[in-house]
Amino acid sequence: LDIQSLRKDSALISEGQWISDIPNMGDLRLRVRGASSPRVVAIRARKQRAVPRNERERDGSLRVETTIKIETEVLHEAVLLDWDGLTDGGKPVKYDVDLAREWLTNPDFRDFADAVVWASQVADRGLAEDKEKTAKN
């Protein structure tokens, strides 16, 4: 195994990158941070620690609904940075923080949140060679 095959570009994971070809999302492109970005990890951990005991299971773990709430908030606060190719009724929609919050935290838009998660997982790979390939294209 060549150790270089395991190398990730941590700066790219933290800065965010444009991800396209998101399954079932047409021409949508998302600029996202990777899930392992220090900012993402810190915000998730802070939110998890802040959950009071009465909102946890008996063993101290987070309830499912609490986990979902935290994860969608993290997507909004730290993962999704911008979008391109998103329309509403055929009209282009520019990135807007409030719209992002609504669409990421509203269960009726779960497919959008899932697309952000998928893009974040791709960005999280942060492979330096992928960055070089993208630069050439």
Side-chain angles (χ1 to χ4, degrees):
L1 175 69
D2 185 340
I3 191 67
Q4 292 302 317
S5 69
L6 301 176
R7 183 175 181 207
K8 293 182 179 187
D9 186 338
S10 58
L12 191 60
I13 292 170
S14 294
E15 292 167 12
Q17 58 185 303
W18 285 101
I19 305 296
S20 55
D21 299 322
I22 302 167
N24 303 314
M25 291 292 148
D27 295 331
L28 177 65
R29 293 182 335 130
L30 299 172
R31 184 167 168 253
V32 295
R33 284 188 180 99
S36 67
S37 159
R39 179 173 170 82
V40 173
V41 171
I43 289 174
R44 181 181 297 113
R46 179 177 43 83
K47 288 180 172 292
Q48 289 172 341
R49 284 191 310 271
V51 175
R53 187 181 307 174
N54 65 343
E55 293 180 25
R56 293 177 179 266
E57 298 292 348
R58 287 179 49 198
D59 66 357
S61 63
L62 299 178
R63 293 182 180 158
V64 171
E65 56 275 0
T66 301
T67 300
I68 292 169
K69 179 179 183 273
I70 288 172
E71 289 303 315
T72 57
E73 289 173 356
V74 170
L75 291 176
H76 171 256
E77 293 174 29
V79 175
L80 181 62
L81 303 170
D82 200 352
W83 62 57
D84 180 53
L86 192 58
T87 61
D88 187 4
K91 296 179 183 175
V93 178
K94 290 187 178 186
Y95 178 78
D96 177 88
V97 173
D98 294 328
L99 281 177
R101 178 185 299 111
E102 169 63 21
W103 293 339
L104 289 170
T105 60
N106 183 335
D108 293 343
F109 291 100
R110 185 68 207 167
D111 288 348
F112 179 69
D114 288 345
V116 174
V117 169
W118 186 89
S120 179
Q121 291 170 342
V122 171
D124 204 34
R125 293 187 191 113
L127 300 176
E129 81 178 53
D130 287 349
K131 180 178 164 185
E132 292 166 11
K133 287 178 186 175
T134 302
K136 289 179 186 176
N137 294 331

